[in-house]
């Protein structure tokens, strides 16, 4: 089934991952923090459509510009 994929994104540290998570959520992109798995600097997203993938890329791009 190729309707969803998991994408993992490592950030510099847990604080940056938390800030990225908040920024993405403010932009309508819901992702999962990986702290419960011992990876506090990582985020995971499940993407099922091209539109959702594009929204995540746009939100990460805008996050990078404000950081």
């Amino acid at each position: 089934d190729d309707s969803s994929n998991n994408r993992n994104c490592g950030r510099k540290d847990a604080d940056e991952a938390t800030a990225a998570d908040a920024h993405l959520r403010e932009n309508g992109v819901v992702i999962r923090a990986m702290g419960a798995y011992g990876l506090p600097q990582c985020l995971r997203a499940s993407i099922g459509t091209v539109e959702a993938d594009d929204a995540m890329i746009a939100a990460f791009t805008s996050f990078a510009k404000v950081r």
Side-chain angles (χ1 to χ4, degrees):
D1 178 12
D2 63 354
S3 64
S4 68
N5 296 302
N6 289 325
R7 308 246 195 267
N8 296 310
C9 178
R11 306 309 305 163
K12 169 176 77 172
D13 56 34
D15 290 338
E16 187 178 55
T18 299
D21 183 26
H23 182 83
L24 269 67
R25 287 175 186 272
E26 290 169 5
N27 286 276
V29 177
V30 178
I31 58 176
R32 184 169 306 208
M34 299 296 291
Y37 299 96
L39 301 167
Q41 76 283 6
C42 294
L43 304 168
R44 186 187 88 200
S46 297
I47 298 138
T49 66
V50 171
E51 294 81 12
D53 202 14
D54 289 345
M56 184 184 72
I57 291 167
F60 265 120
T61 299
S62 66
F63 175 73
K65 289 179 182 177
V66 300
R67 291 295 284 183

